[in-house]
Amino acid sequence: MPSIITLTTDFGVGSPYVAAMKGVLLSIAPETRLIYLSHTIRPQQVRQAALLLADTTPLFPTGSLHVVVVDPGVGTSRAIVFAEIDGQRYICPDNGLLSLVQKRARLAKPDVPIMIRHITSEQYFRQPVSSTFHGRDIMAPIAAHISLGLAPEALGPPLEALQELTWPGAVKVANRLTGEIIAIDSFGNLLTNITRSQLEEVPTGTEVGIFCDEHETRGIFSTYADQPAMTLIALISSGDQLELAIVDDSAETMLGVGVGAPVEVRW
Amino acid sequence: MPSIITLTTDFGVGSPYVAAMKGVLLSIAPETRLIYLSHTIRPQQVRQAALLLADTTPLFPTGSLHVVVVDPGVGTSRAIVFAEIDGQRYICPDNGLLSLVQKRARLAKPDVPIMIRHITSEQYFRQPVSSTFHGRDIMAPIAAHISLGLAPEALGPPLEALQELTWPGAVKVANRLTGEIIAIDSFGNLLTNITRSQLEEVPTGTEVGIFCDEHETRGIFSTYADQPAMTLIALISSGDQLELAIVDDSAETMLGVGVGAPVEVRW
Amino acid sequence: MPSIITLTTDFGVGSPYVAAMKGVLLSIAPETRLIYLSHTIRPQQVRQAALLLADTTPLFPTGSLHVVVVDPGVGTSRAIVFAEIDGQRYICPDNGLLSLVQKRARLAKPDVPIMIRHITSEQYFRQPVSSTFHGRDIMAPIAAHISLGLAPEALGPPLEALQELTWPGAVKVANRLTGEIIAIDSFGNLLTNITRSQLEEVPTGTEVGIFCDEHETRGIFSTYADQPAMTLIALISSGDQLELAIVDDSAETMLGVGVGAPVEVRW
């Protein structure tokens, strides 16, 4: 089976930087299969990438290698790491990109094996190494060598822990859950950080109100079709989060809200 | 030969939903080759996707499997179907996405074989099935199993017919062909629903005028270079439709028209 | 090893034209691996594509085949060519797309082998050949046949030379280097045509000023982290060009400049 390498960057679709990374990867490991997760992470938005990785990489075949270049600290002393978390493998700057992957893996399995290496083995780097593009000069060639079978132990010394971002979780106080919008999809649906399991703590049969900015809706439904067109509806998203949508239209546009806007569930 | 699966969605480039579908597909069928037709269908625009599918899927190798997730009815009782039309295979919601593929196949070969199955075999679905993302939970895993050799008969009961959209065809009345703009390409060229074969009914040697909104041009040419720069020109597109273009510029911008604008050929 | 074909077009992401080319390629050569360099070249911008090709194609495995459809002259008598330059292979209109690939290859190796064929062998074209889409009807099928092993000699007669664009190089007059911005990346960093080797001619230890539009900065640094946030900084890009950036922000937005803006280094 050909090995799978996925790419996630903030370089933008059609960027020459992405093309350069593909060239380096394929020139070392020509049989590797390249899969694109996303090149449209907003510039330097580590949190957006961390969310994408947590939502999608656990779905890939065990042993897939995910290369992530969202690297505001390129050229500083921040480490570049190899990590293996619950069977998925990652190469990325150690800047919090894997915070949410790791947090969710530990929630699901408290003793999940996590292996981390600080990548220092310069003999596998592309030379000369530029100061501004470690995706091409370090991460791509290292990923290619790993996909050819290089043992992670050869990459550099072990690390005890990854850098972690504090992640804004929703909080429950009395009969309220207070969270925020953390992502918006192409339909303008608003995804929040209020989880299905938090909502399960609401006493059964209680009617809930959901408030976002100055807008309000009542009840949590299963699917868009449960309410008429142009209605604000709350439901559980395919990622097990509370989601706000306007049936057949864009909630982002109609409500005029963005990432970070507060969302509250009251009962 | 590795099997080919193409993906068409309205999720947007770089969407986590596309990444999730890739993960599910590859975790079941890791050798499958994923080809992206388009992830930039406008949200819920079934007609735009139907046109793309009709213009491009017949060019693929026989037996290719095209997964199409443009699904405004997700969560309602609309069916998800497997269809085989003239050697190409499709998995999509039964909402008219295949109308134009089917219409053109029947025009070319009146007795073209069309096989349809209603996908109901839940044992191949990803569990639990969400109410809002059947692309990940039903269509991706079913496509992966088909690519591994699962017989379509195992998917569910046969269906007699697909849902069909009425397709706005151009009409000929006396010495006029009246149609409309149905697509605009990246160059701003305007593609209409007036076909090459309809234009062949114009008596040979007759001069024609082409009218769009308040703009007018005369004659139908072979290629952009047949007229000077900045001229409005009519020609037959690479898809055998009447096309309007501004030589070396964007007709969309210069004429200020969009999809749905009326186009008339008079002689 | 499966052969690699890369695609570069100005059709836009998700364009049906790209999907059509993929169908034609795969229907002839189903095992070929398709890699996307870029589909977001601005319409008809031959120079932008030429820069991308020069920056990225030399990184690919020897023998990779790069298909480039940026073709403002489609339908005119411009030739379509096959070229092999320093081990990389190209199929494109002969309109200057390979100017910079060729120029850089010759700078690096004055006697680099360059082989050119005028593609005229119609038996490999898709029939009928449209007047407006030679990417689908000529370049895609020819590329597929080459990837299956067709000898370049079978494509048509040899050509002595490719069309070349004059490329705006930076010039040194007395103690000034005068150039311009030639590209802008997704971070808003400004890439110029002033090269690392030109900058090496500045006497060691001399302080330099870098001027762009009405903005000014002093000194050339290694990486973004060498200056505080929101500072205008000059550095050598990962492509060995002079680059201007605003630390942690977009120089494009903050300076309000675009491609073609003058840049001067003085000492």
Side-chain angles (χ1 to χ4, degrees), chain B residues 4 9 14 49 116 123 133 152 161 165 190 218 220 225 238 244 246 257:
Chain B
I4 289 171
T9 74
I116 315 165
Q123 69 268 37
F133 193 5
L165 297 172
L190 311 172
R218 301 197 79 73
I220 296 176
S238 58
L244 288 168
I246 297 278
V257 296

PDB file of all heavy atoms in Angstrom, chain B residues 4 9 14 49 116 123 133 152 161 165 190 218 220 225 238 244 246 257:
ATOM      1  N   ILE B   4     -10.931   4.765  -9.675  1.00  0.00           N
ATOM      2  CA  ILE B   4     -10.973   6.222  -9.622  1.00  0.00           C
ATOM      3  C   ILE B   4     -12.283   6.667  -8.987  1.00  0.00           C
ATOM      4  O   ILE B   4     -13.354   6.223  -9.394  1.00  0.00           O
ATOM      5  CB  ILE B   4     -10.838   6.812 -11.044  1.00  0.00           C
ATOM      6  CG1 ILE B   4      -9.407   6.608 -11.560  1.00  0.00           C
ATOM      7  CG2 ILE B   4     -11.236   8.286 -11.079  1.00  0.00           C
ATOM      8  CD1 ILE B   4      -9.214   6.959 -13.012  1.00  0.00           C
ATOM      9  N   THR B   9     -18.452  18.783  -4.667  1.00  0.00           N
ATOM     10  CA  THR B   9     -19.231  19.260  -3.523  1.00  0.00           C
ATOM     11  C   THR B   9     -19.435  20.783  -3.612  1.00  0.00           C
ATOM     12  O   THR B   9     -18.798  21.453  -4.410  1.00  0.00           O
ATOM     13  CB  THR B   9     -18.533  18.995  -2.165  1.00  0.00           C
ATOM     14  OG1 THR B   9     -17.447  19.913  -2.013  1.00  0.00           O
ATOM     15  CG2 THR B   9     -18.002  17.583  -2.065  1.00  0.00           C
ATOM     16  N   GLY B  14     -10.807  23.723   0.561  1.00  0.00           N
ATOM     17  CA  GLY B  14     -10.154  23.682   1.869  1.00  0.00           C
ATOM     18  C   GLY B  14     -11.121  23.390   3.004  1.00  0.00           C
ATOM     19  O   GLY B  14     -10.751  23.476   4.177  1.00  0.00           O
ATOM     20  N   ALA B  49     -24.032  22.078 -10.455  1.00  0.00           N
ATOM     21  CA  ALA B  49     -23.350  20.785 -10.368  1.00  0.00           C
ATOM     22  C   ALA B  49     -23.802  19.858 -11.492  1.00  0.00           C
ATOM     23  O   ALA B  49     -22.991  19.136 -12.083  1.00  0.00           O
ATOM     24  CB  ALA B  49     -23.620  20.147  -9.001  1.00  0.00           C
ATOM     25  N   ILE B 116     -30.337   2.090 -11.614  1.00  0.00           N
ATOM     26  CA  ILE B 116     -30.473   2.929 -10.417  1.00  0.00           C
ATOM     27  C   ILE B 116     -30.783   2.064  -9.199  1.00  0.00           C
ATOM     28  O   ILE B 116     -31.627   1.166  -9.268  1.00  0.00           O
ATOM     29  CB  ILE B 116     -31.629   3.959 -10.578  1.00  0.00           C
ATOM     30  CG1 ILE B 116     -31.583   4.618 -11.955  1.00  0.00           C
ATOM     31  CG2 ILE B 116     -31.572   5.016  -9.471  1.00  0.00           C
ATOM     32  CD1 ILE B 116     -32.874   5.352 -12.310  1.00  0.00           C
ATOM     33  N   GLN B 123     -25.609  -1.359   6.787  1.00  0.00           N
ATOM     34  CA  GLN B 123     -24.403  -2.007   7.335  1.00  0.00           C
ATOM     35  C   GLN B 123     -23.125  -1.416   6.752  1.00  0.00           C
ATOM     36  O   GLN B 123     -22.051  -1.607   7.315  1.00  0.00           O
ATOM     37  CB  GLN B 123     -24.449  -3.529   7.132  1.00  0.00           C
ATOM     38  CG  GLN B 123     -24.311  -3.999   5.693  1.00  0.00           C
ATOM     39  CD  GLN B 123     -25.649  -4.171   5.008  1.00  0.00           C
ATOM     40  OE1 GLN B 123     -26.605  -3.400   5.219  1.00  0.00           O
ATOM     41  NE2 GLN B 123     -25.735  -5.181   4.163  1.00  0.00           N
ATOM     42  N   PHE B 133     -24.741  15.450   7.633  1.00  0.00           N
ATOM     43  CA  PHE B 133     -23.547  15.242   6.806  1.00  0.00           C
ATOM     44  C   PHE B 133     -23.526  13.803   6.260  1.00  0.00           C
ATOM     45  O   PHE B 133     -22.733  12.969   6.666  1.00  0.00           O
ATOM     46  CB  PHE B 133     -22.290  15.525   7.639  1.00  0.00           C
ATOM     47  CG  PHE B 133     -21.020  15.637   6.839  1.00  0.00           C
ATOM     48  CD1 PHE B 133     -21.015  15.599   5.448  1.00  0.00           C
ATOM     49  CD2 PHE B 133     -19.800  15.773   7.485  1.00  0.00           C
ATOM     50  CE1 PHE B 133     -19.832  15.697   4.723  1.00  0.00           C
ATOM     51  CE2 PHE B 133     -18.607  15.877   6.772  1.00  0.00           C
ATOM     52  CZ  PHE B 133     -18.629  15.830   5.392  1.00  0.00           C
ATOM     53  N   PRO B 152     -23.421  -3.362  -6.878  1.00  0.00           N
ATOM     54  CA  PRO B 152     -24.484  -2.377  -6.684  1.00  0.00           C
ATOM     55  C   PRO B 152     -25.790  -2.996  -6.195  1.00  0.00           C
ATOM     56  O   PRO B 152     -26.541  -2.350  -5.465  1.00  0.00           O
ATOM     57  CB  PRO B 152     -24.652  -1.769  -8.085  1.00  0.00           C
ATOM     58  CG  PRO B 152     -23.336  -1.983  -8.756  1.00  0.00           C
ATOM     59  CD  PRO B 152     -22.790  -3.261  -8.201  1.00  0.00           C
ATOM     60  N   ALA B 161     -36.787   5.366 -11.715  1.00  0.00           N
ATOM     61  CA  ALA B 161     -36.381   6.606 -12.373  1.00  0.00           C
ATOM     62  C   ALA B 161     -35.758   7.555 -11.366  1.00  0.00           C
ATOM     63  O   ALA B 161     -36.060   7.516 -10.173  1.00  0.00           O
ATOM     64  CB  ALA B 161     -37.593   7.287 -13.025  1.00  0.00           C
ATOM     65  N   LEU B 165     -34.820  17.509 -13.019  1.00  0.00           N
ATOM     66  CA  LEU B 165     -35.111  18.938 -13.085  1.00  0.00           C
ATOM     67  C   LEU B 165     -35.555  19.256 -14.489  1.00  0.00           C
ATOM     68  O   LEU B 165     -35.019  18.710 -15.456  1.00  0.00           O
ATOM     69  CB  LEU B 165     -33.840  19.741 -12.796  1.00  0.00           C
ATOM     70  CG  LEU B 165     -33.242  19.566 -11.413  1.00  0.00           C
ATOM     71  CD1 LEU B 165     -31.900  20.269 -11.348  1.00  0.00           C
ATOM     72  CD2 LEU B 165     -34.187  20.138 -10.367  1.00  0.00           C
ATOM     73  N   LEU B 190     -19.321  34.054 -21.503  1.00  0.00           N
ATOM     74  CA  LEU B 190     -20.708  33.730 -21.166  1.00  0.00           C
ATOM     75  C   LEU B 190     -21.159  32.509 -21.967  1.00  0.00           C
ATOM     76  O   LEU B 190     -21.176  32.546 -23.203  1.00  0.00           O
ATOM     77  CB  LEU B 190     -21.608  34.923 -21.501  1.00  0.00           C
ATOM     78  CG  LEU B 190     -21.113  36.281 -20.981  1.00  0.00           C
ATOM     79  CD1 LEU B 190     -21.970  37.418 -21.548  1.00  0.00           C
ATOM     80  CD2 LEU B 190     -21.106  36.306 -19.459  1.00  0.00           C
ATOM     81  N   ARG B 218     -22.727  40.687 -34.390  1.00  0.00           N
ATOM     82  CA  ARG B 218     -23.201  40.054 -35.619  1.00  0.00           C
ATOM     83  C   ARG B 218     -22.248  38.943 -36.056  1.00  0.00           C
ATOM     84  O   ARG B 218     -21.038  39.116 -36.065  1.00  0.00           O
ATOM     85  CB  ARG B 218     -23.336  41.093 -36.745  1.00  0.00           C
ATOM     86  CG  ARG B 218     -24.318  42.223 -36.389  1.00  0.00           C
ATOM     87  CD  ARG B 218     -24.768  43.013 -37.597  1.00  0.00           C
ATOM     88  NE  ARG B 218     -25.802  42.335 -38.359  1.00  0.00           N
ATOM     89  CZ  ARG B 218     -27.085  42.201 -37.957  1.00  0.00           C
ATOM     90  NH1 ARG B 218     -27.489  42.690 -36.801  1.00  0.00           N
ATOM     91  NH2 ARG B 218     -27.945  41.559 -38.717  1.00  0.00           N
ATOM     92  N   ILE B 220     -21.243  34.531 -36.240  1.00  0.00           N
ATOM     93  CA  ILE B 220     -20.711  33.563 -35.287  1.00  0.00           C
ATOM     94  C   ILE B 220     -19.356  33.103 -35.800  1.00  0.00           C
ATOM     95  O   ILE B 220     -19.239  32.656 -36.942  1.00  0.00           O
ATOM     96  CB  ILE B 220     -21.680  32.375 -35.109  1.00  0.00           C
ATOM     97  CG1 ILE B 220     -22.999  32.905 -34.502  1.00  0.00           C
ATOM     98  CG2 ILE B 220     -21.074  31.301 -34.216  1.00  0.00           C
ATOM     99  CD1 ILE B 220     -24.089  31.869 -34.355  1.00  0.00           C
ATOM    100  N   ALA B 225      -9.552  34.965 -31.700  1.00  0.00           N
ATOM    101  CA  ALA B 225      -8.625  35.756 -32.512  1.00  0.00           C
ATOM    102  C   ALA B 225      -9.261  36.232 -33.818  1.00  0.00           C
ATOM    103  O   ALA B 225      -8.636  36.960 -34.589  1.00  0.00           O
ATOM    104  CB  ALA B 225      -7.372  34.928 -32.790  1.00  0.00           C
ATOM    105  N   SER B 238     -16.322  25.242 -26.556  1.00  0.00           N
ATOM    106  CA  SER B 238     -15.740  23.891 -26.577  1.00  0.00           C
ATOM    107  C   SER B 238     -16.752  22.852 -26.099  1.00  0.00           C
ATOM    108  O   SER B 238     -16.537  21.660 -26.266  1.00  0.00           O
ATOM    109  CB  SER B 238     -14.485  23.851 -25.709  1.00  0.00           C
ATOM    110  OG  SER B 238     -14.800  24.248 -24.382  1.00  0.00           O
ATOM    111  N   LEU B 244     -20.632  33.869 -25.696  1.00  0.00           N
ATOM    112  CA  LEU B 244     -20.348  35.283 -25.949  1.00  0.00           C
ATOM    113  C   LEU B 244     -19.095  35.666 -25.170  1.00  0.00           C
ATOM    114  O   LEU B 244     -18.963  35.334 -23.984  1.00  0.00           O
ATOM    115  CB  LEU B 244     -21.524  36.151 -25.495  1.00  0.00           C
ATOM    116  CG  LEU B 244     -22.766  36.059 -26.391  1.00  0.00           C
ATOM    117  CD1 LEU B 244     -23.964  36.716 -25.702  1.00  0.00           C
ATOM    118  CD2 LEU B 244     -22.508  36.718 -27.746  1.00  0.00           C
ATOM    119  N   ILE B 246     -15.760  38.802 -24.795  1.00  0.00           N
ATOM    120  CA  ILE B 246     -15.067  40.020 -25.209  1.00  0.00           C
ATOM    121  C   ILE B 246     -13.618  39.624 -25.463  1.00  0.00           C
ATOM    122  O   ILE B 246     -12.969  39.067 -24.571  1.00  0.00           O
ATOM    123  CB  ILE B 246     -15.119  41.113 -24.111  1.00  0.00           C
ATOM    124  CG1 ILE B 246     -16.549  41.551 -23.831  1.00  0.00           C
ATOM    125  CG2 ILE B 246     -14.231  42.294 -24.480  1.00  0.00           C
ATOM    126  CD1 ILE B 246     -17.119  42.572 -24.787  1.00  0.00           C
ATOM    127  N   VAL B 257     -23.545  41.349 -17.029  1.00  0.00           N
ATOM    128  CA  VAL B 257     -24.645  40.382 -16.994  1.00  0.00           C
ATOM    129  C   VAL B 257     -24.251  39.147 -16.201  1.00  0.00           C
ATOM    130  O   VAL B 257     -23.069  38.933 -15.925  1.00  0.00           O
ATOM    131  CB  VAL B 257     -25.063  39.960 -18.422  1.00  0.00           C
ATOM    132  CG1 VAL B 257     -25.622  41.153 -19.178  1.00  0.00           C
ATOM    133  CG2 VAL B 257     -23.895  39.333 -19.152  1.00  0.00           C
TER     134      VAL B 257
END
